[in-house]
Amino acid sequence: MSKLEFVENFFFPLIVGVLLLFSLLTVIFRKRCANKKIQKNYPPFKMCLRDTGLSLLAPLFFFPSALLCYYLSKHNYGFSYHAIAQYGSGYFIVSLFLITLVHDTYYYWMHRLLHTPWLFKKIHAVHHRSRNPTVLTFFAMHPLESALMAFSIPLCVVIFPVCDLAFNVAYAMYMAQAIYAHSGFEYFKTHTTSRYFTTSHSHNLHHQAVRCNYSYFYNIWDRCCGTLVSQVPSREEAKLGRVN
Ligand SMILES: [Zn+2]
Ligand SMILES: [Zn+2]
């Protein structure tokens, strides 16, 4: 097995495994990490069990988008390419950044749509049953939401060149961000991170206040659309529509 094949086959499960392990350790050693816990209490055991089941099922529904990526790459459709050397490693890194930007735009507007009353009730409410997310909540969502979630990656292939390996890295980045955002612990919130990125703290606020902080990786769209908050808004503020 070549080095590249090794990375392609094991990068995704390795990153996800390490993050899950790290997050579970924070739960096991919760007393030591108590000062990093965002909401001081823990959700009921029944809720954790339900979230685990749904999160484990979710990868099944990512299949259509992964299959579409494979199909596009195999038949050389769009701008997919196979070897990093074709455009160089500099472009490879730039393409990963572009993938996160496309995903953020796709996810923000899809997420806003899922918060319209009918779609929220039928689909997105499954994810919002957890008002105090844990690492087990990371993919606890309606199967249709799981299926729609990763379609931004095949979308990228028709916009700009994307290497096969970038597909794997992008899926790993999606997972990593989902695990971090739902961990219930905040380790990386600084003035700079909360200025540009969706932190665990800001996504936790989304689960508490519901109609704010819709972004995935960066908070650009939340900033532009006035939906970014840094604390749970009061009922009066929510009523006045300061948070859409
Ligand atoms: Zn939501
Ligand atoms: Zn969430």
Side-chain angles (χ1 to χ4, degrees), residues 214-236:
Y214 297 96
S215 301
Y216 200 85
F217 288 110
Y218 314 103
N219 55 30
I220 304 168
W221 281 110
D222 271 318
R223 257 176 212 288
C224 292
C225 301
T227 50
L228 184 70
V229 302
S230 55
Q231 58 186 30
V232 180
S234 67
R235 280 175 188 230
E236 289 70 30

Side-chain angles (χ1 to χ4, degrees), residues 154-173:
L155 186 70
C156 290
V157 180
V158 294
I159 307 175
F160 54 87
V162 181
C163 179
D164 294 348
L165 181 60
F167 289 140
N168 286 10
V169 179
Y171 278 117
M173 290 194 303

Side-chain angles (χ1 to χ4, degrees), residues 4-138:
L4 191 64
E5 279 173 331
F6 179 83
V7 172
E8 279 191 338
N9 291 334
F10 295 106
F11 184 82
F12 175 72
L14 189 75
I15 294 281
V16 172
V18 166
L19 272 162
L20 272 176
L21 186 70
F22 175 73
S23 305
L24 285 173
L25 283 175
T26 59
V27 175
I28 293 166
F29 297 106
R30 55 186 176 277
K31 280 190 182 156
R32 282 190 192 182
C33 309
N35 61 334
K36 304 287 182 193
K37 182 86 173 75
I38 301 165
Q39 296 184 49
K40 295 302 166 202
N41 54 331
Y42 281 85
F45 182 68
K46 243 188 176 177
M47 181 66 84
C48 296
L49 219 58
R50 180 203 81 108
D51 287 354
T52 312
L54 284 169
S55 287
L56 290 175
L57 271 178
L60 278 180
F61 300 99
F62 288 157
F63 242 59
S65 69
L67 218 62
L68 185 60
C69 283
Y70 175 74
Y71 182 82
L72 291 170
S73 153
K74 193 166 188 277
H75 296 280
N76 295 315
Y77 286 135
F79 299 103
S80 63
Y81 66 98
H82 310 296
I84 293 178
Q86 201 172 330
Y87 287 89
S89 43
Y91 175 75
F92 179 79
I93 292 165
V94 170
S95 74
L96 287 176
F97 175 64
L98 292 177
I99 288 173
T100 59
L101 283 182
V102 171
H103 180 69
D104 243 38
T105 306
Y106 171 83
Y107 182 80
Y108 180 86
W109 291 107
M110 184 187 82
H111 198 175
R112 289 287 301 259
L113 205 63
L114 287 173
H115 274 263
T116 53
W118 191 82
L119 288 174
F120 187 85
K121 199 174 155 201
K122 296 285 174 195
I123 299 173
H124 198 46
V126 175
H127 186 62
H128 274 277
R129 249 174 245 163
S130 303
R131 290 181 67 86
N132 182 6
T134 66
V135 64
L136 307 168
T137 316
F138 73 113

Side-chain angles (χ1 to χ4, degrees), residues 127 182 203 206-207:
H127 186 62
H182 293 97
H203 193 68
H206 178 69
H207 279 262

Side-chain angles (χ1 to χ4, degrees), residues 160-217:
F160 54 87
V162 181
C163 179
D164 294 348
L165 181 60
F167 289 140
N168 286 10
V169 179
Y171 278 117
M173 290 194 303
Y174 286 7
M175 286 284 235
Q177 175 64 7
I179 293 169
Y180 161 60
H182 293 97
S183 65
F185 290 86
E186 184 55 89
Y187 293 92
F188 308 110
K189 186 173 174 279
T190 62
H191 182 65
T192 315
T193 55
S194 37
R195 196 165 174 171
Y196 302 108
F197 298 97
T198 300
T199 60
S200 181
H201 181 259
S202 64
H203 193 68
N204 202 287
L205 283 176
H206 178 69
H207 279 262
Q208 292 178 64
V210 183
R211 296 170 73 189
C212 59
N213 300 357
Y214 297 96
S215 301
Y216 200 85
F217 288 110

